[in-house]
mmCIF file of all heavy atoms in Angstrom:
data_model
loop_
_atom_site.group_PDB
_atom_site.id
_atom_site.type_symbol
_atom_site.label_atom_id
_atom_site.label_comp_id
_atom_site.label_asym_id
_atom_site.label_seq_id
_atom_site.Cartn_x
_atom_site.Cartn_y
_atom_site.Cartn_z
ATOM 1 N N GLU A 220 -18.223 7.907 11.049
ATOM 2 C CA GLU A 220 -17.067 8.499 11.895
ATOM 3 C C GLU A 220 -16.030 9.180 11.047
ATOM 4 O O GLU A 220 -15.877 8.768 9.886
ATOM 5 C CB GLU A 220 -16.394 7.326 12.744
ATOM 6 C CG GLU A 220 -17.289 6.732 13.713
ATOM 7 C CD GLU A 220 -17.808 7.673 14.826
ATOM 8 O OE1 GLU A 220 -17.039 8.556 15.213
ATOM 9 O OE2 GLU A 220 -18.995 7.550 15.246
ATOM 10 N N THR A 221 -15.412 10.093 11.534
ATOM 11 C CA THR A 221 -14.325 10.828 10.770
ATOM 12 C C THR A 221 -12.935 10.383 11.021
ATOM 13 O O THR A 221 -12.037 10.803 10.347
ATOM 14 C CB THR A 221 -14.502 12.269 10.967
ATOM 15 O OG1 THR A 221 -14.269 12.631 12.341
ATOM 16 C CG2 THR A 221 -15.787 12.836 10.526
ATOM 17 N N GLN A 222 -12.725 9.593 12.163
ATOM 18 C CA GLN A 222 -11.348 9.205 12.466
ATOM 19 C C GLN A 222 -11.441 7.913 13.190
ATOM 20 O O GLN A 222 -12.153 7.638 14.040
ATOM 21 C CB GLN A 222 -10.715 10.235 13.375
ATOM 22 C CG GLN A 222 -9.322 10.046 13.661
ATOM 23 C CD GLN A 222 -8.463 10.033 12.510
ATOM 24 O OE1 GLN A 222 -8.423 10.922 11.711
ATOM 25 N NE2 GLN A 222 -7.656 9.001 12.240
ATOM 26 N N VAL A 223 -10.513 7.044 12.946
ATOM 27 C CA VAL A 223 -10.335 5.810 13.544
ATOM 28 C C VAL A 223 -9.649 5.977 14.917
ATOM 29 O O VAL A 223 -8.594 6.627 14.904
ATOM 30 C CB VAL A 223 -9.478 4.830 12.647
ATOM 31 C CG1 VAL A 223 -9.347 3.433 13.420
ATOM 32 C CG2 VAL A 223 -10.091 4.591 11.356
ATOM 33 N N PRO A 224 -10.239 5.520 15.975
ATOM 34 C CA PRO A 224 -9.547 5.676 17.304
ATOM 35 C C PRO A 224 -8.217 5.020 17.179
ATOM 36 O O PRO A 224 -7.952 3.947 16.611
ATOM 37 C CB PRO A 224 -10.540 4.959 18.226
ATOM 38 C CG PRO A 224 -11.809 4.985 17.521
ATOM 39 C CD PRO A 224 -11.491 4.923 16.092
ATOM 40 N N GLU A 225 -7.263 5.695 17.852
ATOM 41 C CA GLU A 225 -5.806 5.167 17.832
ATOM 42 C C GLU A 225 -5.738 3.770 18.396
ATOM 43 O O GLU A 225 -4.904 2.994 18.006
ATOM 44 C CB GLU A 225 -4.959 6.098 18.689
ATOM 45 C CG GLU A 225 -4.721 7.387 17.933
ATOM 46 C CD GLU A 225 -3.896 7.286 16.569
ATOM 47 O OE1 GLU A 225 -3.069 6.498 16.606
ATOM 48 O OE2 GLU A 225 -4.344 7.960 15.687
ATOM 49 N N THR A 226 -6.515 3.452 19.428
ATOM 50 C CA THR A 226 -6.460 2.199 19.986
ATOM 51 C C THR A 226 -7.180 1.030 19.287
ATOM 52 O O THR A 226 -7.043 -0.131 19.446
ATOM 53 C CB THR A 226 -6.943 2.113 21.410
ATOM 54 O OG1 THR A 226 -8.295 2.595 21.359
ATOM 55 C CG2 THR A 226 -6.102 3.086 22.371
ATOM 56 N N GLN A 227 -8.050 1.421 18.345
ATOM 57 C CA GLN A 227 -8.925 0.450 17.649
ATOM 58 C C GLN A 227 -8.044 -0.535 16.800
ATOM 59 O O GLN A 227 -8.332 -1.706 16.766
ATOM 60 C CB GLN A 227 -9.951 1.121 16.755
ATOM 61 C CG GLN A 227 -10.831 0.248 16.035
ATOM 62 C CD GLN A 227 -11.937 0.999 15.246
ATOM 63 O OE1 GLN A 227 -12.230 2.159 15.542
ATOM 64 N NE2 GLN A 227 -12.458 0.316 14.347
ATOM 65 N N ALA A 228 -7.076 0.056 16.097
ATOM 66 C CA ALA A 228 -6.290 -0.811 15.218
ATOM 67 C C ALA A 228 -5.558 -1.932 16.040
ATOM 68 O O ALA A 228 -5.282 -3.041 15.497
ATOM 69 C CB ALA A 228 -5.227 0.005 14.510
ATOM 70 N N ALA A 229 -5.257 -1.660 17.283
ATOM 71 C CA ALA A 229 -4.513 -2.645 18.136
ATOM 72 C C ALA A 229 -5.470 -3.585 18.821
ATOM 73 O O ALA A 229 -4.953 -4.614 19.258
ATOM 74 C CB ALA A 229 -3.616 -1.901 19.148
ATOM 75 N N THR A 230 -6.754 -3.373 18.835
ATOM 76 C CA THR A 230 -7.642 -4.249 19.510
ATOM 77 C C THR A 230 -8.685 -4.922 18.593
ATOM 78 O O THR A 230 -9.280 -5.874 19.133
ATOM 79 C CB THR A 230 -8.253 -3.442 20.579
ATOM 80 O OG1 THR A 230 -9.039 -2.301 20.039
ATOM 81 C CG2 THR A 230 -7.324 -2.863 21.659
ATOM 82 N N ASP A 231 -8.977 -4.351 17.483
ATOM 83 C CA ASP A 231 -10.018 -5.014 16.647
ATOM 84 C C ASP A 231 -9.707 -6.387 16.341
ATOM 85 O O ASP A 231 -8.509 -6.728 16.093
ATOM 86 C CB ASP A 231 -10.175 -4.233 15.291
ATOM 87 C CG ASP A 231 -10.956 -2.972 15.463
ATOM 88 O OD1 ASP A 231 -11.677 -2.890 16.548
ATOM 89 O OD2 ASP A 231 -11.079 -2.146 14.567
ATOM 90 N N ASN A 232 -10.686 -7.239 16.341
ATOM 91 C CA ASN A 232 -10.531 -8.616 15.913
ATOM 92 C C ASN A 232 -9.754 -9.502 16.954
ATOM 93 O O ASN A 232 -9.367 -10.591 16.658
ATOM 94 C CB ASN A 232 -9.771 -8.721 14.520
ATOM 95 C CG ASN A 232 -10.542 -9.701 13.619
ATOM 96 O OD1 ASN A 232 -11.730 -9.970 13.744
ATOM 97 N ND2 ASN A 232 -9.801 -10.267 12.696
ATOM 98 N N LEU A 233 -9.461 -8.911 18.140
ATOM 99 C CA LEU A 233 -8.814 -9.648 19.186
ATOM 100 C C LEU A 233 -9.668 -9.789 20.405
ATOM 101 O O LEU A 233 -9.307 -9.579 21.455
ATOM 102 C CB LEU A 233 -7.477 -8.894 19.562
ATOM 103 C CG LEU A 233 -6.563 -8.646 18.458
ATOM 104 C CD1 LEU A 233 -5.351 -7.880 19.076
ATOM 105 C CD2 LEU A 233 -6.116 -9.910 17.762
ATOM 106 N N THR A 234 -10.945 -10.181 20.158
ATOM 107 C CA THR A 234 -11.916 -10.048 21.130
ATOM 108 C C THR A 234 -12.001 -11.317 22.068
ATOM 109 O O THR A 234 -12.617 -11.334 23.094
ATOM 110 C CB THR A 234 -13.346 -9.837 20.631
ATOM 111 O OG1 THR A 234 -13.550 -10.906 19.662
ATOM 112 C CG2 THR A 234 -13.400 -8.498 19.866
ATOM 113 N N ALA A 235 -11.358 -12.332 21.630
ATOM 114 C CA ALA A 235 -11.386 -13.643 22.466
ATOM 115 C C ALA A 235 -9.980 -13.791 23.061
ATOM 116 O O ALA A 235 -9.008 -14.169 22.432
ATOM 117 C CB ALA A 235 -11.615 -14.765 21.460
ATOM 118 N N PRO A 236 -9.886 -13.422 24.302
ATOM 119 C CA PRO A 236 -8.561 -13.557 24.982
ATOM 120 C C PRO A 236 -7.846 -14.911 24.878
ATOM 121 O O PRO A 236 -6.629 -14.962 24.816
ATOM 122 C CB PRO A 236 -8.941 -13.231 26.523
ATOM 123 C CG PRO A 236 -10.165 -12.500 26.401
ATOM 124 C CD PRO A 236 -10.933 -13.019 25.238
ATOM 125 N N ALA A 237 -8.698 -15.958 24.879
ATOM 126 C CA ALA A 237 -8.005 -17.273 24.704
ATOM 127 C C ALA A 237 -7.343 -17.442 23.511
ATOM 128 O O ALA A 237 -6.507 -18.337 23.313
ATOM 129 C CB ALA A 237 -9.109 -18.380 24.929
ATOM 130 N N GLN A 238 -7.579 -16.598 22.410
ATOM 131 C CA GLN A 238 -7.031 -16.857 21.142
ATOM 132 C C GLN A 238 -5.868 -15.948 20.946
ATOM 133 O O GLN A 238 -5.324 -15.859 19.795
ATOM 134 C CB GLN A 238 -8.109 -16.499 20.052
ATOM 135 C CG GLN A 238 -9.180 -17.500 20.009
ATOM 136 C CD GLN A 238 -10.175 -17.312 18.911
ATOM 137 O OE1 GLN A 238 -10.275 -16.169 18.350
ATOM 138 N NE2 GLN A 238 -10.937 -18.278 18.463
ATOM 139 N N VAL A 239 -5.395 -15.132 21.919
ATOM 140 C CA VAL A 239 -4.305 -14.127 21.795
ATOM 141 C C VAL A 239 -3.229 -14.635 22.575
ATOM 142 O O VAL A 239 -3.339 -14.922 23.842
ATOM 143 C CB VAL A 239 -4.786 -12.783 22.201
ATOM 144 C CG1 VAL A 239 -3.678 -11.820 22.021
ATOM 145 C CG2 VAL A 239 -5.992 -12.346 21.295
ATOM 146 N N GLN A 240 -1.997 -14.693 22.025
ATOM 147 C CA GLN A 240 -0.758 -14.903 22.760
ATOM 148 C C GLN A 240 0.156 -13.690 22.606
ATOM 149 O O GLN A 240 0.250 -13.064 21.446
ATOM 150 C CB GLN A 240 -0.042 -16.129 22.177
ATOM 151 C CG GLN A 240 -0.698 -17.430 22.558
ATOM 152 C CD GLN A 240 0.039 -18.641 21.953
ATOM 153 O OE1 GLN A 240 -0.146 -18.994 20.817
ATOM 154 N NE2 GLN A 240 0.919 -19.249 22.802
ATOM 155 N N THR A 241 0.879 -13.283 23.625
ATOM 156 C CA THR A 241 1.716 -12.076 23.578
ATOM 157 C C THR A 241 3.146 -12.540 23.875
ATOM 158 O O THR A 241 3.412 -13.223 24.886
ATOM 159 C CB THR A 241 1.212 -11.102 24.678
ATOM 160 O OG1 THR A 241 -0.102 -10.719 24.360
ATOM 161 C CG2 THR A 241 2.077 -9.863 24.560
ATOM 162 N N PHE A 242 4.068 -12.003 23.091
ATOM 163 C CA PHE A 242 5.532 -12.226 23.254
ATOM 164 C C PHE A 242 6.245 -10.840 23.331
ATOM 165 O O PHE A 242 5.990 -9.960 22.447
ATOM 166 C CB PHE A 242 6.107 -13.066 22.111
ATOM 167 C CG PHE A 242 5.333 -14.445 21.943
ATOM 168 C CD1 PHE A 242 4.251 -14.520 21.202
ATOM 169 C CD2 PHE A 242 5.987 -15.529 22.482
ATOM 170 C CE1 PHE A 242 3.580 -15.848 21.095
ATOM 171 C CE2 PHE A 242 5.385 -16.834 22.341
ATOM 172 C CZ PHE A 242 4.139 -16.922 21.694
ATOM 173 N N ASN A 243 7.041 -10.636 24.291
ATOM 174 C CA ASN A 243 7.801 -9.368 24.419
ATOM 175 C C ASN A 243 9.247 -9.588 24.237
ATOM 176 O O ASN A 243 9.829 -10.523 24.873
ATOM 177 C CB ASN A 243 7.406 -8.743 25.760
ATOM 178 C CG ASN A 243 5.947 -8.380 25.870
ATOM 179 O OD1 ASN A 243 5.507 -7.289 25.337
ATOM 180 N ND2 ASN A 243 5.193 -9.196 26.482
ATOM 181 N N SER A 244 9.844 -8.579 23.643
ATOM 182 C CA SER A 244 11.463 -8.686 23.605
ATOM 183 C C SER A 244 11.922 -8.166 24.997
ATOM 184 O O SER A 244 11.411 -7.457 25.678
ATOM 185 C CB SER A 244 11.909 -7.726 22.553
ATOM 186 O OG SER A 244 11.594 -6.380 22.840
ATOM 187 N N LYS A 245 13.192 -8.755 25.235
ATOM 188 C CA LYS A 245 13.869 -8.596 26.411
ATOM 189 C C LYS A 245 14.064 -7.035 26.723
ATOM 190 O O LYS A 245 14.044 -6.631 27.847
ATOM 191 C CB LYS A 245 15.137 -9.319 26.571
ATOM 192 C CG LYS A 245 15.810 -9.193 27.853
ATOM 193 C CD LYS A 245 17.129 -10.020 27.857
ATOM 194 C CE LYS A 245 17.888 -9.955 29.161
ATOM 195 N NZ LYS A 245 19.166 -10.765 29.137
ATOM 196 N N ASP A 246 14.335 -6.318 25.665
ATOM 197 C CA ASP A 246 14.724 -4.877 25.795
ATOM 198 C C ASP A 246 13.425 -3.995 25.996
ATOM 199 O O ASP A 246 13.503 -2.714 26.175
ATOM 200 C CB ASP A 246 15.527 -4.381 24.683
ATOM 201 C CG ASP A 246 14.833 -4.435 23.352
ATOM 202 O OD1 ASP A 246 13.629 -4.851 23.239
ATOM 203 O OD2 ASP A 246 15.396 -4.091 22.277
ATOM 204 N N GLY A 247 12.253 -4.615 25.856
ATOM 205 C CA GLY A 247 11.011 -3.929 26.066
ATOM 206 C C GLY A 247 10.550 -3.033 24.932
ATOM 207 O O GLY A 247 9.693 -2.181 25.097
ATOM 208 N N SER A 248 11.150 -3.216 23.724
ATOM 209 C CA SER A 248 10.835 -2.279 22.596
ATOM 210 C C SER A 248 9.804 -2.885 21.693
ATOM 211 O O SER A 248 9.231 -2.084 20.949
ATOM 212 C CB SER A 248 12.103 -1.884 21.810
ATOM 213 O OG SER A 248 12.614 -3.127 21.255
ATOM 214 N N ARG A 249 9.678 -4.155 21.724
ATOM 215 C CA ARG A 249 8.756 -4.789 20.644
ATOM 216 C C ARG A 249 7.886 -5.772 21.309
ATOM 217 O O ARG A 249 8.303 -6.538 22.365
ATOM 218 C CB ARG A 249 9.601 -5.469 19.523
ATOM 219 C CG ARG A 249 10.409 -4.524 18.687
ATOM 220 C CD ARG A 249 9.510 -3.466 17.929
ATOM 221 N NE ARG A 249 10.221 -2.668 16.972
ATOM 222 C CZ ARG A 249 10.761 -1.490 17.344
ATOM 223 N NH1 ARG A 249 10.618 -1.096 18.543
ATOM 224 N NH2 ARG A 249 11.411 -0.739 16.454
ATOM 225 N N MET A 250 6.728 -6.003 20.701
ATOM 226 C CA MET A 250 5.798 -7.096 21.180
ATOM 227 C C MET A 250 5.203 -7.723 19.956
ATOM 228 O O MET A 250 4.930 -7.038 18.975
ATOM 229 C CB MET A 250 4.693 -6.425 22.147
ATOM 230 C CG MET A 250 3.583 -7.426 22.436
ATOM 231 S SD MET A 250 2.369 -6.703 23.559
ATOM 232 C CE MET A 250 1.602 -5.517 22.452
ATOM 233 N N VAL A 251 4.968 -9.003 19.975
ATOM 234 C CA VAL A 251 4.314 -9.714 18.894
ATOM 235 C C VAL A 251 3.112 -10.445 19.484
ATOM 236 O O VAL A 251 3.203 -11.092 20.617
ATOM 237 C CB VAL A 251 5.226 -10.807 18.236
ATOM 238 C CG1 VAL A 251 4.437 -11.668 17.296
ATOM 239 C CG2 VAL A 251 6.392 -10.148 17.562
ATOM 240 N N LYS A 252 1.875 -10.235 18.865
ATOM 241 C CA LYS A 252 0.593 -10.846 19.292
ATOM 242 C C LYS A 252 0.290 -11.957 18.303
ATOM 243 O O LYS A 252 0.365 -11.645 17.004
ATOM 244 C CB LYS A 252 -0.440 -9.873 19.455
ATOM 245 C CG LYS A 252 -0.339 -9.030 20.634
ATOM 246 C CD LYS A 252 -1.626 -8.171 20.872
ATOM 247 C CE LYS A 252 -1.619 -7.329 22.143
ATOM 248 N NZ LYS A 252 -2.771 -6.548 22.345
ATOM 249 N N LEU A 253 -0.087 -13.113 18.717
ATOM 250 C CA LEU A 253 -0.646 -14.085 17.834
ATOM 251 C C LEU A 253 -2.133 -14.120 18.092
ATOM 252 O O LEU A 253 -2.595 -14.274 19.170
ATOM 253 C CB LEU A 253 0.018 -15.495 18.166
ATOM 254 C CG LEU A 253 1.450 -15.644 17.992
ATOM 255 C CD1 LEU A 253 1.823 -17.085 18.105
ATOM 256 C CD2 LEU A 253 1.920 -15.115 16.659
ATOM 257 N N ALA A 254 -2.980 -13.917 16.972
ATOM 258 C CA ALA A 254 -4.341 -13.762 17.158
ATOM 259 C C ALA A 254 -5.093 -14.750 16.311
ATOM 260 O O ALA A 254 -4.720 -14.959 15.156
ATOM 261 C CB ALA A 254 -4.824 -12.279 16.892
#
Side-chain angles (χ1 to χ4, degrees):
E220 297 298 324
T221 60
Q222 183 65 53
V223 180
E225 288 297 320
T226 58
Q227 182 175 337
T230 59
D231 278 349
N232 228 24
L233 303 181
T234 57
Q238 295 182 342
V239 179
Q240 292 179 273
T241 302
F242 301 83
N243 294 279
S244 62
K245 184 179 178 181
D246 62 5
S248 66
R249 296 295 184 269
M250 176 178 65
V251 172
K252 285 186 179 181
L253 302 186

